[in-house]
Amino acid sequence: MRVNANSRTCAVSSLCVYRAPSVFSQDEDGHVVVLDHSPGEDVQDEVRRAARGCPTRSIEVVESDATGS
Ligand code: SF4
């Protein structure tokens, strides 16, 4: 799994940070920052929920079977 986020469209809702604090954080303006672009399996479900729940669709999740991650 690869995770990216678009801080320009982020609405500073903090939802993703609550869902997966090891993967998402916020900069000084509150915009999303990705801490871990290749999160482990233990948090991948939460990352998918965060992406689905983002009100501005600012989180991109690319599933990758090739790497197994
Ligand atoms: S859930 Fe979306 S809008 Fe909210 S902080 Fe995360 S990336 Fe930004």
Side-chain angles (χ1 to χ4, degrees):
M1 172 188 277
R2 287 287 300 171
V3 182
N4 295 299
N6 187 343
S7 62
R8 287 171 299 178
T9 58
C10 170
V12 194
S13 71
S14 305
L15 291 172
C16 59
V17 181
Y18 284 117
R19 281 226 182 267
S22 66
V23 178
F24 301 106
S25 185
Q26 294 170 284
D27 66 17
E28 62 272 15
D29 295 321
H31 293 106
V32 64
V33 175
V34 178
L35 299 175
D36 185 357
H37 288 273
S38 301
E41 286 188 19
D42 54 329
V43 295
Q44 289 185 3
D45 281 348
E46 286 301 316
V47 170
R48 292 183 187 102
R49 287 192 194 98
R52 284 197 300 268
C54 174
T56 57
R57 298 279 182 242
S58 297
I59 299 169
E60 178 192 39
V61 172
V62 180
E63 304 285 352
S64 174
D65 293 328
T67 62
S69 62

